[in-house]
Every structure is written in structure tokens, then in C-alpha cells.
Amino acid sequence: MSVAETIRRRLAALEPTSLDLVDESAQHAGHSGARPGGGTHWRLRIVSPRFTGQPTVARHRMVYHALGELMQDPIHALAITAQSPEELKGSR
């Protein structure tokens, strides 16, 4: 299973209504934590009703908890945008 598939499976615990995951590792070649083949630097946009009423820090903690040890290896960097469905509707 690829790193992206593993991340998506773990994040399913947050019951996302939308999940956009982009491997940005190629943009970080030669930087700390980069490895040949990628899978180390990610950008995540996730929408979940579980984020409703939660501050940004709590939402990020929920994501980190769902990903568990993946945050140590292979993930080196993760940029997170976490929204509730209501916030997504308001931003359109």
C-alpha cells in the first residue's frame, strides 16, 4: 500500500466529506526529511463534521492522532487545512 493510501485510510476515522491529499515531496528535494521516491512532504485539505465547533489546534491534533506514527515516519511535513462542512459552504 502506498503512503498516500495509508494516509487516506487513517484519515477515514475522521469521517471526511472531502479529502484532498497532495504529495509535494518533489518540491522539497534536497531539503531536510526528503527521500528519493517522495512520500515525505504533504498538503492536506480535509472537511469533516467532526471539526464543527473545534479550534484549529484541536483539528490539527485530531489529524495527527488519526495518522499516529506516520507523523514520525514517513511523513516529514504536513500542511493542513481542516474545515467543517459549514465553513466550506461559507467559503464558496
Side-chain angles (χ1 to χ4, degrees):
M1 181 180 322
S2 73
V3 174
E5 290 170 343
T6 303
I7 291 171
R8 287 178 188 280
R9 283 185 184 223
R10 296 275 182 101
L11 292 174
L14 298 177
E15 303 168 2
T17 57
S18 175
L19 191 151
D20 183 32
L21 182 64
V22 179
D23 185 349
E24 297 184 336
S25 301
Q27 298 172 18
H28 299 277
H31 294 180
S32 176
R35 286 190 237 168
T40 58
H41 292 72
W42 297 91
R43 179 164 304 280
L44 171 66
R45 186 168 167 277
I46 182 170
V47 179
S48 171
R50 298 199 43 205
F51 296 146
T52 301
Q54 297 295 319
T56 301
V57 171
R59 295 172 186 196
H60 287 209
R61 285 182 182 146
M62 292 167 73
V63 169
Y64 298 147
H65 180 75
L67 294 174
E69 75 281 354
L70 296 177
M71 288 303 301
Q72 301 300 315
D73 185 32
I75 299 172
H76 175 74
L78 179 64
I80 303 169
T81 301
Q83 296 177 294
S84 70
E86 297 79 19
E87 291 168 325
L88 180 64
K89 288 177 190 173
S91 67
R92 289 184 178 175

mmCIF file with all atom_site columns, all heavy atoms in Angstrom, residues 24-41 74-77:
data_model
loop_
_atom_site.group_PDB
_atom_site.id
_atom_site.type_symbol
_atom_site.label_atom_id
_atom_site.label_alt_id
_atom_site.label_comp_id
_atom_site.label_asym_id
_atom_site.label_entity_id
_atom_site.label_seq_id
_atom_site.pdbx_PDB_ins_code
_atom_site.Cartn_x
_atom_site.Cartn_y
_atom_site.Cartn_z
_atom_site.occupancy
_atom_site.B_iso_or_equiv
_atom_site.pdbx_formal_charge
_atom_site.auth_seq_id
_atom_site.auth_comp_id
_atom_site.auth_asym_id
_atom_site.auth_atom_id
_atom_site.pdbx_PDB_model_num
ATOM 1   N N   . GLU A 1 24 ? 3.854  16.762 -2.098 1.00 0.00 ? 24 GLU A N   1
ATOM 2   C CA  . GLU A 1 24 ? 4.686  17.878 -2.539 1.00 0.00 ? 24 GLU A CA  1
ATOM 3   C C   . GLU A 1 24 ? 6.168  17.590 -2.345 1.00 0.00 ? 24 GLU A C   1
ATOM 4   O O   . GLU A 1 24 ? 6.999  18.501 -2.376 1.00 0.00 ? 24 GLU A O   1
ATOM 5   C CB  . GLU A 1 24 ? 4.305  19.156 -1.795 1.00 0.00 ? 24 GLU A CB  1
ATOM 6   C CG  . GLU A 1 24 ? 2.890  19.607 -2.075 1.00 0.00 ? 24 GLU A CG  1
ATOM 7   C CD  . GLU A 1 24 ? 2.544  20.925 -1.415 1.00 0.00 ? 24 GLU A CD  1
ATOM 8   O OE1 . GLU A 1 24 ? 3.182  21.275 -0.394 1.00 0.00 ? 24 GLU A OE1 1
ATOM 9   O OE2 . GLU A 1 24 ? 1.633  21.607 -1.910 1.00 0.00 ? 24 GLU A OE2 1
ATOM 10  N N   . SER A 1 25 ? 6.509  16.336 -2.164 1.00 0.00 ? 25 SER A N   1
ATOM 11  C CA  . SER A 1 25 ? 7.890  15.956 -1.859 1.00 0.00 ? 25 SER A CA  1
ATOM 12  C C   . SER A 1 25 ? 8.876  16.421 -2.921 1.00 0.00 ? 25 SER A C   1
ATOM 13  O O   . SER A 1 25 ? 9.997  16.832 -2.590 1.00 0.00 ? 25 SER A O   1
ATOM 14  C CB  . SER A 1 25 ? 7.989  14.441 -1.683 1.00 0.00 ? 25 SER A CB  1
ATOM 15  O OG  . SER A 1 25 ? 7.141  14.009 -0.649 1.00 0.00 ? 25 SER A OG  1
ATOM 16  N N   . ALA A 1 26 ? 8.491  16.378 -4.178 1.00 0.00 ? 26 ALA A N   1
ATOM 17  C CA  . ALA A 1 26 ? 9.405  16.766 -5.254 1.00 0.00 ? 26 ALA A CA  1
ATOM 18  C C   . ALA A 1 26 ? 9.846  18.219 -5.125 1.00 0.00 ? 26 ALA A C   1
ATOM 19  O O   . ALA A 1 26 ? 10.960 18.570 -5.508 1.00 0.00 ? 26 ALA A O   1
ATOM 20  C CB  . ALA A 1 26 ? 8.749  16.530 -6.607 1.00 0.00 ? 26 ALA A CB  1
ATOM 21  N N   . GLN A 1 27 ? 8.999  19.052 -4.550 1.00 0.00 ? 27 GLN A N   1
ATOM 22  C CA  . GLN A 1 27 ? 9.331  20.464 -4.360 1.00 0.00 ? 27 GLN A CA  1
ATOM 23  C C   . GLN A 1 27 ? 10.355 20.664 -3.242 1.00 0.00 ? 27 GLN A C   1
ATOM 24  O O   . GLN A 1 27 ? 10.885 21.754 -3.082 1.00 0.00 ? 27 GLN A O   1
ATOM 25  C CB  . GLN A 1 27 ? 8.075  21.262 -4.032 1.00 0.00 ? 27 GLN A CB  1
ATOM 26  C CG  . GLN A 1 27 ? 7.031  21.247 -5.120 1.00 0.00 ? 27 GLN A CG  1
ATOM 27  C CD  . GLN A 1 27 ? 5.738  21.894 -4.661 1.00 0.00 ? 27 GLN A CD  1
ATOM 28  O OE1 . GLN A 1 27 ? 5.705  22.631 -3.686 1.00 0.00 ? 27 GLN A OE1 1
ATOM 29  N NE2 . GLN A 1 27 ? 4.659  21.597 -5.365 1.00 0.00 ? 27 GLN A NE2 1
ATOM 30  N N   . HIS A 1 28 ? 10.596 19.624 -2.476 1.00 0.00 ? 28 HIS A N   1
ATOM 31  C CA  . HIS A 1 28 ? 11.489 19.720 -1.319 1.00 0.00 ? 28 HIS A CA  1
ATOM 32  C C   . HIS A 1 28 ? 12.742 18.857 -1.472 1.00 0.00 ? 28 HIS A C   1
ATOM 33  O O   . HIS A 1 28 ? 13.426 18.589 -0.486 1.00 0.00 ? 28 HIS A O   1
ATOM 34  C CB  . HIS A 1 28 ? 10.728 19.331 -0.052 1.00 0.00 ? 28 HIS A CB  1
ATOM 35  C CG  . HIS A 1 28 ? 9.563  20.218 0.209  1.00 0.00 ? 28 HIS A CG  1
ATOM 36  N ND1 . HIS A 1 28 ? 9.691  21.429 0.849  1.00 0.00 ? 28 HIS A ND1 1
ATOM 37  C CD2 . HIS A 1 28 ? 8.257  20.097 -0.127 1.00 0.00 ? 28 HIS A CD2 1
ATOM 38  C CE1 . HIS A 1 28 ? 8.501  22.000 0.907  1.00 0.00 ? 28 HIS A CE1 1
ATOM 39  N NE2 . HIS A 1 28 ? 7.623  21.211 0.320  1.00 0.00 ? 28 HIS A NE2 1
ATOM 40  N N   . ALA A 1 29 ? 13.017 18.430 -2.684 1.00 0.00 ? 29 ALA A N   1
ATOM 41  C CA  . ALA A 1 29 ? 14.217 17.608 -2.934 1.00 0.00 ? 29 ALA A CA  1
ATOM 42  C C   . ALA A 1 29 ? 15.447 18.342 -2.426 1.00 0.00 ? 29 ALA A C   1
ATOM 43  O O   . ALA A 1 29 ? 15.620 19.535 -2.652 1.00 0.00 ? 29 ALA A O   1
ATOM 44  C CB  . ALA A 1 29 ? 14.346 17.303 -4.416 1.00 0.00 ? 29 ALA A CB  1
ATOM 45  N N   . GLY A 1 30 ? 16.264 17.638 -1.685 1.00 0.00 ? 30 GLY A N   1
ATOM 46  C CA  . GLY A 1 30 ? 17.477 18.224 -1.128 1.00 0.00 ? 30 GLY A CA  1
ATOM 47  C C   . GLY A 1 30 ? 17.274 18.875 0.227  1.00 0.00 ? 30 GLY A C   1
ATOM 48  O O   . GLY A 1 30 ? 18.233 19.242 0.884  1.00 0.00 ? 30 GLY A O   1
ATOM 49  N N   . HIS A 1 31 ? 16.027 19.017 0.667  1.00 0.00 ? 31 HIS A N   1
ATOM 50  C CA  . HIS A 1 31 ? 15.746 19.604 1.972  1.00 0.00 ? 31 HIS A CA  1
ATOM 51  C C   . HIS A 1 31 ? 15.698 18.515 3.034  1.00 0.00 ? 31 HIS A C   1
ATOM 52  O O   . HIS A 1 31 ? 15.597 17.329 2.721  1.00 0.00 ? 31 HIS A O   1
ATOM 53  C CB  . HIS A 1 31 ? 14.404 20.330 1.956  1.00 0.00 ? 31 HIS A CB  1
ATOM 54  C CG  . HIS A 1 31 ? 14.372 21.525 1.073  1.00 0.00 ? 31 HIS A CG  1
ATOM 55  N ND1 . HIS A 1 31 ? 13.261 22.296 0.931  1.00 0.00 ? 31 HIS A ND1 1
ATOM 56  C CD2 . HIS A 1 31 ? 15.298 22.094 0.262  1.00 0.00 ? 31 HIS A CD2 1
ATOM 57  C CE1 . HIS A 1 31 ? 13.502 23.274 0.087  1.00 0.00 ? 31 HIS A CE1 1
ATOM 58  N NE2 . HIS A 1 31 ? 14.734 23.166 -0.340 1.00 0.00 ? 31 HIS A NE2 1
ATOM 59  N N   . SER A 1 32 ? 15.701 18.940 4.265  1.00 0.00 ? 32 SER A N   1
ATOM 60  C CA  . SER A 1 32 ? 15.634 18.008 5.382  1.00 0.00 ? 32 SER A CA  1
ATOM 61  C C   . SER A 1 32 ? 14.398 17.126 5.284  1.00 0.00 ? 32 SER A C   1
ATOM 62  O O   . SER A 1 32 ? 13.304 17.596 5.014  1.00 0.00 ? 32 SER A O   1
ATOM 63  C CB  . SER A 1 32 ? 15.599 18.794 6.695  1.00 0.00 ? 32 SER A CB  1
ATOM 64  O OG  . SER A 1 32 ? 15.433 17.927 7.782  1.00 0.00 ? 32 SER A OG  1
ATOM 65  N N   . GLY A 1 33 ? 14.577 15.858 5.495  1.00 0.00 ? 33 GLY A N   1
ATOM 66  C CA  . GLY A 1 33 ? 13.469 14.916 5.517  1.00 0.00 ? 33 GLY A CA  1
ATOM 67  C C   . GLY A 1 33 ? 13.069 14.373 4.158  1.00 0.00 ? 33 GLY A C   1
ATOM 68  O O   . GLY A 1 33 ? 12.279 13.446 4.080  1.00 0.00 ? 33 GLY A O   1
ATOM 69  N N   . ALA A 1 34 ? 13.592 14.953 3.087  1.00 0.00 ? 34 ALA A N   1
ATOM 70  C CA  . ALA A 1 34 ? 13.241 14.478 1.741  1.00 0.00 ? 34 ALA A CA  1
ATOM 71  C C   . ALA A 1 34 ? 13.928 13.151 1.472  1.00 0.00 ? 34 ALA A C   1
ATOM 72  O O   . ALA A 1 34 ? 15.055 12.924 1.905  1.00 0.00 ? 34 ALA A O   1
ATOM 73  C CB  . ALA A 1 34 ? 13.643 15.509 0.700  1.00 0.00 ? 34 ALA A CB  1
ATOM 74  N N   . ARG A 1 35 ? 13.220 12.284 0.772  1.00 0.00 ? 35 ARG A N   1
ATOM 75  C CA  . ARG A 1 35 ? 13.777 10.983 0.398  1.00 0.00 ? 35 ARG A CA  1
ATOM 76  C C   . ARG A 1 35 ? 13.516 10.729 -1.073 1.00 0.00 ? 35 ARG A C   1
ATOM 77  O O   . ARG A 1 35 ? 12.505 11.184 -1.598 1.00 0.00 ? 35 ARG A O   1
ATOM 78  C CB  . ARG A 1 35 ? 13.086 9.867  1.177  1.00 0.00 ? 35 ARG A CB  1
ATOM 79  C CG  . ARG A 1 35 ? 13.492 9.781  2.595  1.00 0.00 ? 35 ARG A CG  1
ATOM 80  C CD  . ARG A 1 35 ? 12.932 8.504  3.171  1.00 0.00 ? 35 ARG A CD  1
ATOM 81  N NE  . ARG A 1 35 ? 12.124 8.879  4.322  1.00 0.00 ? 35 ARG A NE  1
ATOM 82  C CZ  . ARG A 1 35 ? 11.304 8.078  4.943  1.00 0.00 ? 35 ARG A CZ  1
ATOM 83  N NH1 . ARG A 1 35 ? 11.105 6.871  4.515  1.00 0.00 ? 35 ARG A NH1 1
ATOM 84  N NH2 . ARG A 1 35 ? 10.630 8.477  5.978  1.00 0.00 ? 35 ARG A NH2 1
ATOM 85  N N   . PRO A 1 36 ? 14.373 9.956  -1.698 1.00 0.00 ? 36 PRO A N   1
ATOM 86  C CA  . PRO A 1 36 ? 14.091 9.581  -3.087 1.00 0.00 ? 36 PRO A CA  1
ATOM 87  C C   . PRO A 1 36 ? 12.754 8.840  -3.146 1.00 0.00 ? 36 PRO A C   1
ATOM 88  O O   . PRO A 1 36 ? 12.442 8.027  -2.284 1.00 0.00 ? 36 PRO A O   1
ATOM 89  C CB  . PRO A 1 36 ? 15.245 8.646  -3.458 1.00 0.00 ? 36 PRO A CB  1
ATOM 90  C CG  . PRO A 1 36 ? 16.322 8.943  -2.460 1.00 0.00 ? 36 PRO A CG  1
ATOM 91  C CD  . PRO A 1 36 ? 15.627 9.412  -1.213 1.00 0.00 ? 36 PRO A CD  1
ATOM 92  N N   . GLY A 1 37 ? 11.949 9.164  -4.129 1.00 0.00 ? 37 GLY A N   1
ATOM 93  C CA  . GLY A 1 37 ? 10.663 8.497  -4.268 1.00 0.00 ? 37 GLY A CA  1
ATOM 94  C C   . GLY A 1 37 ? 9.514  9.240  -3.615 1.00 0.00 ? 37 GLY A C   1
ATOM 95  O O   . GLY A 1 37 ? 8.364  8.883  -3.792 1.00 0.00 ? 37 GLY A O   1
ATOM 96  N N   . GLY A 1 38 ? 9.805  10.282 -2.823 1.00 0.00 ? 38 GLY A N   1
ATOM 97  C CA  . GLY A 1 38 ? 8.754  11.112 -2.251 1.00 0.00 ? 38 GLY A CA  1
ATOM 98  C C   . GLY A 1 38 ? 8.063  10.502 -1.052 1.00 0.00 ? 38 GLY A C   1
ATOM 99  O O   . GLY A 1 38 ? 8.601  9.632  -0.371 1.00 0.00 ? 38 GLY A O   1
ATOM 100 N N   . GLY A 1 39 ? 6.849  10.986 -0.795 1.00 0.00 ? 39 GLY A N   1
ATOM 101 C CA  . GLY A 1 39 ? 6.059  10.485 0.320  1.00 0.00 ? 39 GLY A CA  1
ATOM 102 C C   . GLY A 1 39 ? 6.398  11.092 1.658  1.00 0.00 ? 39 GLY A C   1
ATOM 103 O O   . GLY A 1 39 ? 5.988  10.577 2.693  1.00 0.00 ? 39 GLY A O   1
ATOM 104 N N   . THR A 1 40 ? 7.133  12.221 1.650  1.00 0.00 ? 40 THR A N   1
ATOM 105 C CA  . THR A 1 40 ? 7.565  12.809 2.918  1.00 0.00 ? 40 THR A CA  1
ATOM 106 C C   . THR A 1 40 ? 6.921  14.163 3.212  1.00 0.00 ? 40 THR A C   1
ATOM 107 O O   . THR A 1 40 ? 6.758  14.519 4.366  1.00 0.00 ? 40 THR A O   1
ATOM 108 C CB  . THR A 1 40 ? 9.089  12.985 2.937  1.00 0.00 ? 40 THR A CB  1
ATOM 109 O OG1 . THR A 1 40 ? 9.478  13.821 1.841  1.00 0.00 ? 40 THR A OG1 1
ATOM 110 C CG2 . THR A 1 40 ? 9.804  11.654 2.851  1.00 0.00 ? 40 THR A CG2 1
ATOM 111 N N   . HIS A 1 41 ? 6.585  14.923 2.186  1.00 0.00 ? 41 HIS A N   1
ATOM 112 C CA  . HIS A 1 41 ? 6.024  16.269 2.331  1.00 0.00 ? 41 HIS A CA  1
ATOM 113 C C   . HIS A 1 41 ? 4.634  16.302 1.696  1.00 0.00 ? 41 HIS A C   1
ATOM 114 O O   . HIS A 1 41 ? 4.497  16.034 0.503  1.00 0.00 ? 41 HIS A O   1
ATOM 115 C CB  . HIS A 1 41 ? 6.924  17.308 1.656  1.00 0.00 ? 41 HIS A CB  1
ATOM 116 C CG  . HIS A 1 41 ? 8.243  17.487 2.328  1.00 0.00 ? 41 HIS A CG  1
ATOM 117 N ND1 . HIS A 1 41 ? 9.242  16.532 2.258  1.00 0.00 ? 41 HIS A ND1 1
ATOM 118 C CD2 . HIS A 1 41 ? 8.728  18.492 3.081  1.00 0.00 ? 41 HIS A CD2 1
ATOM 119 C CE1 . HIS A 1 41 ? 10.294 16.972 2.946  1.00 0.00 ? 41 HIS A CE1 1
ATOM 120 N NE2 . HIS A 1 41 ? 10.003 18.158 3.451  1.00 0.00 ? 41 HIS A NE2 1
ATOM 121 N N   . PRO A 1 74 ? 6.596  7.846  7.556  1.00 0.00 ? 74 PRO A N   1
ATOM 122 C CA  . PRO A 1 74 ? 7.409  8.567  6.584  1.00 0.00 ? 74 PRO A CA  1
ATOM 123 C C   . PRO A 1 74 ? 7.116  10.056 6.454  1.00 0.00 ? 74 PRO A C   1
ATOM 124 O O   . PRO A 1 74 ? 7.832  10.766 5.762  1.00 0.00 ? 74 PRO A O   1
ATOM 125 C CB  . PRO A 1 74 ? 7.046  7.871  5.277  1.00 0.00 ? 74 PRO A CB  1
ATOM 126 C CG  . PRO A 1 74 ? 5.607  7.551  5.437  1.00 0.00 ? 74 PRO A CG  1
ATOM 127 C CD  . PRO A 1 74 ? 5.459  7.187  6.906  1.00 0.00 ? 74 PRO A CD  1
ATOM 128 N N   . ILE A 1 75 ? 6.071  10.579 7.119  1.00 0.00 ? 75 ILE A N   1
ATOM 129 C CA  . ILE A 1 75 ? 5.735  11.993 6.953  1.00 0.00 ? 75 ILE A CA  1
ATOM 130 C C   . ILE A 1 75 ? 6.757  12.867 7.664  1.00 0.00 ? 75 ILE A C   1
ATOM 131 O O   . ILE A 1 75 ? 7.010  12.701 8.856  1.00 0.00 ? 75 ILE A O   1
ATOM 132 C CB  . ILE A 1 75 ? 4.317  12.290 7.486  1.00 0.00 ? 75 ILE A CB  1
ATOM 133 C CG1 . ILE A 1 75 ? 3.278  11.492 6.711  1.00 0.00 ? 75 ILE A CG1 1
ATOM 134 C CG2 . ILE A 1 75 ? 4.016  13.790 7.394  1.00 0.00 ? 75 ILE A CG2 1
ATOM 135 C CD1 . ILE A 1 75 ? 1.870  11.573 7.282  1.00 0.00 ? 75 ILE A CD1 1
ATOM 136 N N   . HIS A 1 76 ? 7.325  13.796 6.915  1.00 0.00 ? 76 HIS A N   1
ATOM 137 C CA  . HIS A 1 76 ? 8.257  14.768 7.485  1.00 0.00 ? 76 HIS A CA  1
ATOM 138 C C   . HIS A 1 76 ? 7.570  16.113 7.677  1.00 0.00 ? 76 HIS A C   1
ATOM 139 O O   . HIS A 1 76 ? 7.828  16.816 8.647  1.00 0.00 ? 76 HIS A O   1
ATOM 140 C CB  . HIS A 1 76 ? 9.481  14.927 6.578  1.00 0.00 ? 76 HIS A CB  1
ATOM 141 C CG  . HIS A 1 76 ? 10.423 15.979 7.033  1.00 0.00 ? 76 HIS A CG  1
ATOM 142 N ND1 . HIS A 1 76 ? 11.241 15.807 8.120  1.00 0.00 ? 76 HIS A ND1 1
ATOM 143 C CD2 . HIS A 1 76 ? 10.675 17.223 6.564  1.00 0.00 ? 76 HIS A CD2 1
ATOM 144 C CE1 . HIS A 1 76 ? 11.973 16.900 8.299  1.00 0.00 ? 76 HIS A CE1 1
ATOM 145 N NE2 . HIS A 1 76 ? 11.633 17.772 7.369  1.00 0.00 ? 76 HIS A NE2 1
ATOM 146 N N   . ALA A 1 77 ? 6.693  16.475 6.739  1.00 0.00 ? 77 ALA A N   1
ATOM 147 C CA  . ALA A 1 77 ? 5.983  17.754 6.807  1.00 0.00 ? 77 ALA A CA  1
ATOM 148 C C   . ALA A 1 77 ? 4.558  17.568 6.295  1.00 0.00 ? 77 ALA A C   1
ATOM 149 O O   . ALA A 1 77 ? 4.328  16.870 5.319  1.00 0.00 ? 77 ALA A O   1
ATOM 150 C CB  . ALA A 1 77 ? 6.707  18.799 5.965  1.00 0.00 ? 77 ALA A CB  1
#
